[in-house]
PDB file of all heavy atoms in Angstrom:
ATOM      1  N   ILE A 242    -134.840 121.066  45.580  1.00 93.00           N
ATOM      2  CA  ILE A 242    -134.881 120.670  46.984  1.00 93.00           C
ATOM      3  C   ILE A 242    -135.312 119.214  47.074  1.00 93.00           C
ATOM      4  O   ILE A 242    -135.865 118.668  46.114  1.00 93.00           O
ATOM      5  CB  ILE A 242    -135.865 121.532  47.816  1.00 93.00           C
ATOM      6  CG1 ILE A 242    -137.303 121.421  47.269  1.00 93.00           C
ATOM      7  CG2 ILE A 242    -135.414 122.969  47.848  1.00 93.00           C
ATOM      8  CD1 ILE A 242    -138.337 122.098  48.131  1.00 93.00           C
ATOM      9  N   SER A 243    -135.044 118.626  48.239  1.00 94.00           N
ATOM     10  CA  SER A 243    -135.580 117.294  48.526  1.00 94.00           C
ATOM     11  C   SER A 243    -137.014 117.486  48.990  1.00 94.00           C
ATOM     12  O   SER A 243    -137.303 117.561  50.185  1.00 94.00           O
ATOM     13  CB  SER A 243    -134.740 116.615  49.598  1.00 94.00           C
ATOM     14  OG  SER A 243    -133.421 116.395  49.134  1.00 94.00           O
ATOM     15  N   PHE A 244    -137.900 117.587  48.029  1.00 96.00           N
ATOM     16  CA  PHE A 244    -139.253 118.069  48.289  1.00 96.00           C
ATOM     17  C   PHE A 244    -139.975 117.229  49.340  1.00 96.00           C
ATOM     18  O   PHE A 244    -140.645 117.772  50.215  1.00 96.00           O
ATOM     19  CB  PHE A 244    -140.058 118.080  46.993  1.00 96.00           C
ATOM     20  CG  PHE A 244    -141.458 118.603  47.147  1.00 96.00           C
ATOM     21  CD1 PHE A 244    -141.697 119.963  47.175  1.00 96.00           C
ATOM     22  CD2 PHE A 244    -142.538 117.732  47.273  1.00 96.00           C
ATOM     23  CE1 PHE A 244    -142.988 120.463  47.322  1.00 96.00           C
ATOM     24  CE2 PHE A 244    -143.826 118.211  47.425  1.00 96.00           C
ATOM     25  CZ  PHE A 244    -144.056 119.591  47.452  1.00 96.00           C
ATOM     26  N   SER A 245    -139.850 115.924  49.257  1.00 95.00           N
ATOM     27  CA  SER A 245    -140.661 115.059  50.115  1.00 95.00           C
ATOM     28  C   SER A 245    -140.372 115.249  51.600  1.00 95.00           C
ATOM     29  O   SER A 245    -141.209 114.920  52.442  1.00 95.00           O
ATOM     30  CB  SER A 245    -140.475 113.592  49.729  1.00 95.00           C
ATOM     31  OG  SER A 245    -139.137 113.197  49.945  1.00 95.00           O
ATOM     32  N   ILE A 246    -139.200 115.761  51.948  1.00 95.00           N
ATOM     33  CA  ILE A 246    -138.857 115.947  53.360  1.00 95.00           C
ATOM     34  C   ILE A 246    -139.014 117.398  53.799  1.00 95.00           C
ATOM     35  O   ILE A 246    -138.759 117.733  54.954  1.00 95.00           O
ATOM     36  CB  ILE A 246    -137.416 115.469  53.683  1.00 95.00           C
ATOM     37  CG1 ILE A 246    -136.381 116.344  52.966  1.00 95.00           C
ATOM     38  CG2 ILE A 246    -137.242 114.005  53.331  1.00 95.00           C
ATOM     39  CD1 ILE A 246    -134.959 116.072  53.450  1.00 95.00           C
ATOM     40  N   ASN A 247    -139.425 118.245  52.890  1.00 97.00           N
ATOM     41  CA  ASN A 247    -139.482 119.683  53.176  1.00 97.00           C
ATOM     42  C   ASN A 247    -140.867 120.124  53.623  1.00 97.00           C
ATOM     43  O   ASN A 247    -141.871 119.761  52.981  1.00 97.00           O
ATOM     44  CB  ASN A 247    -139.090 120.489  51.939  1.00 97.00           C
ATOM     45  CG  ASN A 247    -138.134 121.613  52.272  1.00 97.00           C
ATOM     46  OD1 ASN A 247    -136.931 121.414  52.337  1.00 97.00           O
ATOM     47  ND2 ASN A 247    -138.670 122.798  52.503  1.00 97.00           N
ATOM     48  N   THR A 248    -140.920 120.912  54.687  1.00 98.00           N
ATOM     49  CA  THR A 248    -142.156 121.600  55.036  1.00 98.00           C
ATOM     50  C   THR A 248    -142.382 122.717  54.020  1.00 98.00           C
ATOM     51  O   THR A 248    -141.464 123.482  53.708  1.00 98.00           O
ATOM     52  CB  THR A 248    -142.081 122.182  56.452  1.00 98.00           C
ATOM     53  OG1 THR A 248    -142.043 121.100  57.390  1.00 98.00           O
ATOM     54  CG2 THR A 248    -143.287 123.058  56.757  1.00 98.00           C
ATOM     55  N   MET A 249    -143.591 122.798  53.515  1.00 98.00           N
ATOM     56  CA  MET A 249    -143.947 123.795  52.514  1.00 98.00           C
ATOM     57  C   MET A 249    -145.071 124.688  53.053  1.00 98.00           C
ATOM     58  O   MET A 249    -145.892 124.236  53.863  1.00 98.00           O
ATOM     59  CB  MET A 249    -144.394 123.124  51.226  1.00 98.00           C
ATOM     60  CG  MET A 249    -143.358 122.208  50.609  1.00 98.00           C
ATOM     61  SD  MET A 249    -141.846 123.067  50.111  1.00 98.00           S
ATOM     62  CE  MET A 249    -142.489 124.174  48.840  1.00 98.00           C
ATOM     63  N   ALA A 250    -145.109 125.919  52.574  1.00 98.00           N
ATOM     64  CA  ALA A 250    -146.069 126.867  53.122  1.00 98.00           C
ATOM     65  C   ALA A 250    -146.579 127.818  52.051  1.00 98.00           C
ATOM     66  O   ALA A 250    -145.967 127.970  50.987  1.00 98.00           O
ATOM     67  CB  ALA A 250    -145.426 127.674  54.246  1.00 98.00           C
ATOM     68  N   TRP A 251    -147.696 128.434  52.366  1.00 98.00           N
ATOM     69  CA  TRP A 251    -148.230 129.560  51.599  1.00 98.00           C
ATOM     70  C   TRP A 251    -148.297 130.773  52.533  1.00 98.00           C
ATOM     71  O   TRP A 251    -148.785 130.668  53.660  1.00 98.00           O
ATOM     72  CB  TRP A 251    -149.613 129.260  51.055  1.00 98.00           C
ATOM     73  CG  TRP A 251    -149.619 128.281  49.932  1.00 98.00           C
ATOM     74  CD1 TRP A 251    -149.830 126.935  50.012  1.00 98.00           C
ATOM     75  CD2 TRP A 251    -149.412 128.561  48.539  1.00 98.00           C
ATOM     76  NE1 TRP A 251    -149.755 126.368  48.769  1.00 98.00           N
ATOM     77  CE2 TRP A 251    -149.500 127.349  47.842  1.00 98.00           C
ATOM     78  CE3 TRP A 251    -149.159 129.729  47.804  1.00 98.00           C
ATOM     79  CZ2 TRP A 251    -149.343 127.253  46.458  1.00 98.00           C
ATOM     80  CZ3 TRP A 251    -149.005 129.646  46.440  1.00 98.00           C
ATOM     81  CH2 TRP A 251    -149.099 128.423  45.773  1.00 98.00           C
ATOM     82  N   HIS A 252    -147.805 131.888  52.030  1.00 98.00           N
ATOM     83  CA  HIS A 252    -147.905 133.157  52.710  1.00 98.00           C
ATOM     84  C   HIS A 252    -148.653 134.117  51.792  1.00 98.00           C
ATOM     85  O   HIS A 252    -148.811 133.846  50.600  1.00 98.00           O
ATOM     86  CB  HIS A 252    -146.519 133.736  53.011  1.00 98.00           C
ATOM     87  CG  HIS A 252    -145.709 132.926  53.969  1.00 98.00           C
ATOM     88  ND1 HIS A 252    -145.360 133.392  55.217  1.00 98.00           N
ATOM     89  CD2 HIS A 252    -145.174 131.685  53.872  1.00 98.00           C
ATOM     90  CE1 HIS A 252    -144.638 132.486  55.837  1.00 98.00           C
ATOM     91  NE2 HIS A 252    -144.509 131.436  55.046  1.00 98.00           N
ATOM     92  N   ARG A 253    -149.085 135.241  52.322  1.00 98.00           N
ATOM     93  CA  ARG A 253    -149.717 136.262  51.490  1.00 98.00           C
ATOM     94  C   ARG A 253    -149.377 137.658  52.012  1.00 98.00           C
ATOM     95  O   ARG A 253    -149.071 137.831  53.194  1.00 98.00           O
ATOM     96  CB  ARG A 253    -151.227 136.081  51.419  1.00 98.00           C
ATOM     97  CG  ARG A 253    -151.958 136.345  52.725  1.00 98.00           C
ATOM     98  CD  ARG A 253    -153.444 136.028  52.583  1.00 98.00           C
ATOM     99  NE  ARG A 253    -154.192 136.279  53.801  1.00 98.00           N
ATOM    100  CZ  ARG A 253    -155.464 135.966  53.977  1.00 98.00           C
ATOM    101  NH1 ARG A 253    -156.151 135.363  52.985  1.00 98.00           N
ATOM    102  NH2 ARG A 253    -156.073 136.238  55.118  1.00 98.00           N
ATOM    103  N   GLN A 254    -149.432 138.610  51.103  1.00 98.00           N
ATOM    104  CA  GLN A 254    -149.212 140.002  51.473  1.00 98.00           C
ATOM    105  C   GLN A 254    -150.279 140.851  50.790  1.00 98.00           C
ATOM    106  O   GLN A 254    -150.275 140.985  49.556  1.00 98.00           O
ATOM    107  CB  GLN A 254    -147.815 140.470  51.081  1.00 98.00           C
ATOM    108  CG  GLN A 254    -147.488 141.862  51.582  1.00 98.00           C
ATOM    109  CD  GLN A 254    -146.001 142.177  51.485  1.00 98.00           C
ATOM    110  OE1 GLN A 254    -145.241 141.478  50.810  1.00 98.00           O
ATOM    111  NE2 GLN A 254    -145.581 143.221  52.175  1.00 98.00           N
ATOM    112  N   GLY A 255    -151.188 141.377  51.602  1.00 97.00           N
ATOM    113  CA  GLY A 255    -152.240 142.232  51.087  1.00 97.00           C
ATOM    114  C   GLY A 255    -151.760 143.657  50.933  1.00 97.00           C
ATOM    115  O   GLY A 255    -150.693 144.027  51.428  1.00 97.00           O
ATOM    116  N   PRO A 256    -152.557 144.492  50.248  1.00 94.00           N
ATOM    117  CA  PRO A 256    -152.174 145.892  50.034  1.00 94.00           C
ATOM    118  C   PRO A 256    -151.942 146.610  51.355  1.00 94.00           C
ATOM    119  O   PRO A 256    -152.818 146.625  52.222  1.00 94.00           O
ATOM    120  CB  PRO A 256    -153.385 146.464  49.298  1.00 94.00           C
ATOM    121  CG  PRO A 256    -154.102 145.295  48.729  1.00 94.00           C
ATOM    122  CD  PRO A 256    -153.848 144.152  49.648  1.00 94.00           C
ATOM    123  N   GLY A 257    -150.749 147.176  51.522  1.00 95.00           N
ATOM    124  CA  GLY A 257    -150.434 147.924  52.726  1.00 95.00           C
ATOM    125  C   GLY A 257    -150.255 147.083  53.960  1.00 95.00           C
ATOM    126  O   GLY A 257    -150.235 147.609  55.079  1.00 95.00           O
ATOM    127  N   LYS A 258    -150.138 145.772  53.785  1.00 96.00           N
ATOM    128  CA  LYS A 258    -150.006 144.888  54.937  1.00 96.00           C
ATOM    129  C   LYS A 258    -148.680 144.147  54.904  1.00 96.00           C
ATOM    130  O   LYS A 258    -148.020 144.058  53.870  1.00 96.00           O
ATOM    131  CB  LYS A 258    -151.149 143.867  54.942  1.00 96.00           C
ATOM    132  CG  LYS A 258    -152.529 144.479  55.065  1.00 96.00           C
ATOM    133  CD  LYS A 258    -153.596 143.389  55.085  1.00 96.00           C
ATOM    134  CE  LYS A 258    -154.991 143.968  55.195  1.00 96.00           C
ATOM    135  NZ  LYS A 258    -156.030 142.908  55.196  1.00 96.00           N
ATOM    136  N   GLN A 259    -148.315 143.597  56.054  1.00 97.00           N
ATOM    137  CA  GLN A 259    -147.121 142.765  56.130  1.00 97.00           C
ATOM    138  C   GLN A 259    -147.427 141.371  55.582  1.00 97.00           C
ATOM    139  O   GLN A 259    -148.578 140.915  55.598  1.00 97.00           O
ATOM    140  CB  GLN A 259    -146.637 142.668  57.573  1.00 97.00           C
ATOM    141  CG  GLN A 259    -146.061 143.963  58.125  1.00 97.00           C
ATOM    142  CD  GLN A 259    -145.406 143.767  59.476  1.00 97.00           C
ATOM    143  OE1 GLN A 259    -145.827 142.918  60.257  1.00 97.00           O
ATOM    144  NE2 GLN A 259    -144.371 144.543  59.757  1.00 97.00           N
ATOM    145  N   ARG A 260    -146.406 140.700  55.127  1.00 97.00           N
ATOM    146  CA  ARG A 260    -146.574 139.328  54.674  1.00 97.00           C
ATOM    147  C   ARG A 260    -146.946 138.457  55.873  1.00 97.00           C
ATOM    148  O   ARG A 260    -146.363 138.589  56.952  1.00 97.00           O
ATOM    149  CB  ARG A 260    -145.293 138.814  54.021  1.00 97.00           C
ATOM    150  CG  ARG A 260    -145.459 137.501  53.286  1.00 97.00           C
ATOM    151  CD  ARG A 260    -144.197 137.129  52.515  1.00 97.00           C
ATOM    152  NE  ARG A 260    -143.856 138.110  51.492  1.00 97.00           N
ATOM    153  CZ  ARG A 260    -142.909 137.906  50.564  1.00 97.00           C
ATOM    154  NH1 ARG A 260    -142.244 136.761  50.542  1.00 97.00           N
ATOM    155  NH2 ARG A 260    -142.653 138.849  49.682  1.00 97.00           N
ATOM    156  N   GLU A 261    -147.920 137.569  55.668  1.00 98.00           N
ATOM    157  CA  GLU A 261    -148.364 136.713  56.752  1.00 98.00           C
ATOM    158  C   GLU A 261    -148.447 135.260  56.304  1.00 98.00           C
ATOM    159  O   GLU A 261    -148.666 134.970  55.122  1.00 98.00           O
ATOM    160  CB  GLU A 261    -149.755 137.160  57.255  1.00 98.00           C
ATOM    161  CG  GLU A 261    -150.851 137.069  56.225  1.00 98.00           C
ATOM    162  CD  GLU A 261    -152.225 137.430  56.775  1.00 98.00           C
ATOM    163  OE1 GLU A 261    -152.367 137.655  57.993  1.00 98.00           O
ATOM    164  OE2 GLU A 261    -153.184 137.471  55.974  1.00 98.00           O
ATOM    165  N   LEU A 262    -148.289 134.361  57.279  1.00 98.00           N
ATOM    166  CA  LEU A 262    -148.405 132.941  57.017  1.00 98.00           C
ATOM    167  C   LEU A 262    -149.881 132.580  56.859  1.00 98.00           C
ATOM    168  O   LEU A 262    -150.703 132.934  57.697  1.00 98.00           O
ATOM    169  CB  LEU A 262    -147.795 132.141  58.161  1.00 98.00           C
ATOM    170  CG  LEU A 262    -147.959 130.628  58.112  1.00 98.00           C
ATOM    171  CD1 LEU A 262    -147.211 130.039  56.920  1.00 98.00           C
ATOM    172  CD2 LEU A 262    -147.470 130.003  59.414  1.00 98.00           C
ATOM    173  N   VAL A 263    -150.188 131.853  55.802  1.00 98.00           N
ATOM    174  CA  VAL A 263    -151.553 131.381  55.570  1.00 98.00           C
ATOM    175  C   VAL A 263    -151.708 129.938  56.028  1.00 98.00           C
ATOM    176  O   VAL A 263    -152.642 129.601  56.761  1.00 98.00           O
ATOM    177  CB  VAL A 263    -151.919 131.490  54.073  1.00 98.00           C
ATOM    178  CG1 VAL A 263    -153.283 130.876  53.806  1.00 98.00           C
ATOM    179  CG2 VAL A 263    -151.871 132.939  53.614  1.00 98.00           C
ATOM    180  N   ALA A 264    -150.783 129.084  55.607  1.00 98.00           N
ATOM    181  CA  ALA A 264    -150.861 127.668  55.947  1.00 98.00           C
ATOM    182  C   ALA A 264    -149.518 127.023  55.675  1.00 98.00           C
ATOM    183  O   ALA A 264    -148.736 127.508  54.856  1.00 98.00           O
ATOM    184  CB  ALA A 264    -151.948 126.973  55.132  1.00 98.00           C
ATOM    185  N   PHE A 265    -149.254 125.916  56.390  1.00 98.00           N
ATOM    186  CA  PHE A 265    -148.102 125.097  56.022  1.00 98.00           C
ATOM    187  C   PHE A 265    -148.451 123.624  56.150  1.00 98.00           C
ATOM    188  O   PHE A 265    -149.413 123.247  56.839  1.00 98.00           O
ATOM    189  CB  PHE A 265    -146.845 125.463  56.805  1.00 98.00           C
ATOM    190  CG  PHE A 265    -146.839 125.127  58.272  1.00 98.00           C
ATOM    191  CD1 PHE A 265    -146.663 123.818  58.720  1.00 98.00           C
ATOM    192  CD2 PHE A 265    -146.959 126.123  59.228  1.00 98.00           C
ATOM    193  CE1 PHE A 265    -146.637 123.522  60.063  1.00 98.00           C
ATOM    194  CE2 PHE A 265    -146.919 125.843  60.572  1.00 98.00           C
ATOM    195  CZ  PHE A 265    -146.756 124.537  61.001  1.00 98.00           C
ATOM    196  N   ILE A 266    -147.647 122.801  55.494  1.00 98.00           N
ATOM    197  CA  ILE A 266    -147.829 121.352  55.530  1.00 98.00           C
ATOM    198  C   ILE A 266    -146.460 120.714  55.699  1.00 98.00           C
ATOM    199  O   ILE A 266    -145.510 121.057  54.996  1.00 98.00           O
ATOM    200  CB  ILE A 266    -148.557 120.841  54.258  1.00 98.00           C
ATOM    201  CG1 ILE A 266    -148.829 119.347  54.354  1.00 98.00           C
ATOM    202  CG2 ILE A 266    -147.800 121.196  52.981  1.00 98.00           C
ATOM    203  CD1 ILE A 266    -149.838 118.844  53.306  1.00 98.00           C
ATOM    204  N   THR A 267    -146.359 119.792  56.640  1.00 98.00           N
ATOM    205  CA  THR A 267    -145.088 119.142  56.912  1.00 98.00           C
ATOM    206  C   THR A 267    -144.865 117.976  55.967  1.00 98.00           C
ATOM    207  O   THR A 267    -145.747 117.603  55.183  1.00 98.00           O
ATOM    208  CB  THR A 267    -145.019 118.646  58.360  1.00 98.00           C
ATOM    209  OG1 THR A 267    -145.933 117.545  58.507  1.00 98.00           O
ATOM    210  CG2 THR A 267    -145.379 119.753  59.346  1.00 98.00           C
ATOM    211  N   SER A 268    -143.701 117.361  56.099  1.00 96.00           N
ATOM    212  CA  SER A 268    -143.362 116.227  55.243  1.00 96.00           C
ATOM    213  C   SER A 268    -144.293 115.048  55.473  1.00 96.00           C
ATOM    214  O   SER A 268    -144.500 114.235  54.570  1.00 96.00           O
ATOM    215  CB  SER A 268    -141.914 115.809  55.473  1.00 96.00           C
ATOM    216  OG  SER A 268    -141.717 115.426  56.818  1.00 96.00           O
ATOM    217  N   VAL A 269    -144.866 114.958  56.664  1.00 95.00           N
ATOM    218  CA  VAL A 269    -145.758 113.829  56.958  1.00 95.00           C
ATOM    219  C   VAL A 269    -147.228 114.210  56.819  1.00 95.00           C
ATOM    220  O   VAL A 269    -148.105 113.437  57.172  1.00 95.00           O
ATOM    221  CB  VAL A 269    -145.498 113.261  58.369  1.00 95.00           C
ATOM    222  CG1 VAL A 269    -144.096 112.679  58.446  1.00 95.00           C
ATOM    223  CG2 VAL A 269    -145.718 114.306  59.448  1.00 95.00           C
ATOM    224  N   GLY A 270    -147.474 115.430  56.316  1.00 96.00           N
ATOM    225  CA  GLY A 270    -148.845 115.829  56.030  1.00 96.00           C
ATOM    226  C   GLY A 270    -149.576 116.565  57.129  1.00 96.00           C
ATOM    227  O   GLY A 270    -150.769 116.858  56.980  1.00 96.00           O
ATOM    228  N   SER A 271    -148.893 116.873  58.218  1.00 98.00           N
ATOM    229  CA  SER A 271    -149.539 117.687  59.246  1.00 98.00           C
ATOM    230  C   SER A 271    -149.707 119.105  58.715  1.00 98.00           C
ATOM    231  O   SER A 271    -148.837 119.609  58.004  1.00 98.00           O
ATOM    232  CB  SER A 271    -148.700 117.700  60.519  1.00 98.00           C
ATOM    233  OG  SER A 271    -148.577 116.404  61.049  1.00 98.00           O
ATOM    234  N   THR A 272    -150.820 119.728  59.072  1.00 98.00           N
ATOM    235  CA  THR A 272    -151.122 121.050  58.530  1.00 98.00           C
ATOM    236  C   THR A 272    -151.389 122.072  59.630  1.00 98.00           C
ATOM    237  O   THR A 272    -151.767 121.725  60.757  1.00 98.00           O
ATOM    238  CB  THR A 272    -152.342 121.006  57.601  1.00 98.00           C
ATOM    239  OG1 THR A 272    -153.462 120.466  58.320  1.00 98.00           O
ATOM    240  CG2 THR A 272    -152.064 120.159  56.375  1.00 98.00           C
ATOM    241  N   TYR A 273    -151.170 123.311  59.268  1.00 98.00           N
ATOM    242  CA  TYR A 273    -151.488 124.455  60.134  1.00 98.00           C
ATOM    243  C   TYR A 273    -152.159 125.504  59.268  1.00 98.00           C
ATOM    244  O   TYR A 273    -151.769 125.706  58.113  1.00 98.00           O
ATOM    245  CB  TYR A 273    -150.221 125.045  60.750  1.00 98.00           C
ATOM    246  CG  TYR A 273    -150.434 126.438  61.299  1.00 98.00           C
ATOM    247  CD1 TYR A 273    -150.889 126.629  62.597  1.00 98.00           C
ATOM    248  CD2 TYR A 273    -150.220 127.564  60.496  1.00 98.00           C
ATOM    249  CE1 TYR A 273    -151.117 127.901  63.087  1.00 98.00           C
ATOM    250  CE2 TYR A 273    -150.451 128.840  60.988  1.00 98.00           C
ATOM    251  CZ  TYR A 273    -150.894 129.005  62.281  1.00 98.00           C
ATOM    252  OH  TYR A 273    -151.124 130.266  62.748  1.00 98.00           O
ATOM    253  N   TYR A 274    -153.164 126.181  59.838  1.00 98.00           N
ATOM    254  CA  TYR A 274    -153.846 127.262  59.129  1.00 98.00           C
ATOM    255  C   TYR A 274    -153.962 128.484  60.024  1.00 98.00           C
ATOM    256  O   TYR A 274    -154.203 128.378  61.229  1.00 98.00           O
ATOM    257  CB  TYR A 274    -155.255 126.831  58.713  1.00 98.00           C
ATOM    258  CG  TYR A 274    -155.283 125.685  57.743  1.00 98.00           C
ATOM    259  CD1 TYR A 274    -155.420 124.382  58.178  1.00 98.00           C
ATOM    260  CD2 TYR A 274    -155.163 125.919  56.373  1.00 98.00           C
ATOM    261  CE1 TYR A 274    -155.432 123.325  57.284  1.00 98.00           C
ATOM    262  CE2 TYR A 274    -155.179 124.867  55.468  1.00 98.00           C
ATOM    263  CZ  TYR A 274    -155.305 123.572  55.931  1.00 98.00           C
ATOM    264  OH  TYR A 274    -155.316 122.527  55.034  1.00 98.00           O
ATOM    265  N   ALA A 275    -153.817 129.643  59.409  1.00 98.00           N
ATOM    266  CA  ALA A 275    -154.117 130.874  60.121  1.00 98.00           C
ATOM    267  C   ALA A 275    -155.611 130.902  60.440  1.00 98.00           C
ATOM    268  O   ALA A 275    -156.429 130.372  59.675  1.00 98.00           O
ATOM    269  CB  ALA A 275    -153.744 132.081  59.264  1.00 98.00           C
ATOM    270  N   ASP A 276    -155.953 131.518  61.550  1.00 98.00           N
ATOM    271  CA  ASP A 276    -157.361 131.569  61.959  1.00 98.00           C
ATOM    272  C   ASP A 276    -158.237 132.196  60.871  1.00 98.00           C
ATOM    273  O   ASP A 276    -159.391 131.796  60.688  1.00 98.00           O
ATOM    274  CB  ASP A 276    -157.499 132.367  63.251  1.00 98.00           C
ATOM    275  CG  ASP A 276    -156.997 131.608  64.465  1.00 98.00           C
ATOM    276  OD1 ASP A 276    -156.845 130.371  64.376  1.00 98.00           O
ATOM    277  OD2 ASP A 276    -156.758 132.249  65.502  1.00 98.00           O
ATOM    278  N   SER A 277    -157.695 133.154  60.145  1.00 98.00           N
ATOM    279  CA  SER A 277    -158.486 133.886  59.155  1.00 98.00           C
ATOM    280  C   SER A 277    -158.907 133.022  57.971  1.00 98.00           C
ATOM    281  O   SER A 277    -159.837 133.386  57.242  1.00 98.00           O
ATOM    282  CB  SER A 277    -157.704 135.095  58.652  1.00 98.00           C
ATOM    283  OG  SER A 277    -156.468 134.688  58.094  1.00 98.00           O
ATOM    284  N   VAL A 278    -158.243 131.876  57.767  1.00 98.00           N
ATOM    285  CA  VAL A 278    -158.572 131.034  56.608  1.00 98.00           C
ATOM    286  C   VAL A 278    -159.048 129.651  57.012  1.00 98.00           C
ATOM    287  O   VAL A 278    -159.448 128.861  56.152  1.00 98.00           O
ATOM    288  CB  VAL A 278    -157.369 130.912  55.647  1.00 98.00           C
ATOM    289  CG1 VAL A 278    -156.856 132.279  55.252  1.00 98.00           C
ATOM    290  CG2 VAL A 278    -156.260 130.059  56.248  1.00 98.00           C
ATOM    291  N   LYS A 279    -159.019 129.357  58.292  1.00 98.00           N
ATOM    292  CA  LYS A 279    -159.375 128.022  58.767  1.00 98.00           C
ATOM    293  C   LYS A 279    -160.807 127.685  58.361  1.00 98.00           C
ATOM    294  O   LYS A 279    -161.717 128.499  58.522  1.00 98.00           O
ATOM    295  CB  LYS A 279    -159.218 127.967  60.289  1.00 98.00           C
ATOM    296  CG  LYS A 279    -159.040 126.590  60.871  1.00 98.00           C
ATOM    297  CD  LYS A 279    -158.692 126.684  62.357  1.00 98.00           C
ATOM    298  CE  LYS A 279    -157.323 127.289  62.584  1.00 98.00           C
ATOM    299  NZ  LYS A 279    -156.954 127.299  64.020  1.00 98.00           N
TER     300      LYS A 279
END
């Protein structure tokens, strides 16, 4: 991929749970975090 322009993220899936978004970071470094990990 053209990594430098791509938004990248981490997700997780716990036992018996749905996959959820943990955090993402945009190409310019803006970030988002789930409340549970902020």
Side-chain angles (χ1 to χ4, degrees):
I242 60 173
S243 296
F244 182 81
S245 63
I246 66 170
N247 225 85
T248 292
M249 302 297 297
W251 288 96
H252 295 246
R253 68 185 181 187
Q254 186 166 15
K258 298 181 181 179
Q259 290 189 328
R260 191 173 298 190
E261 62 176 354
L262 174 65
V263 174
F265 69 75
I266 184 166
T267 70
S268 60
V269 296
S271 298
T272 57
Y273 163 87
Y274 297 94
D276 286 343
S277 58
V278 306
K279 202 172 292 184

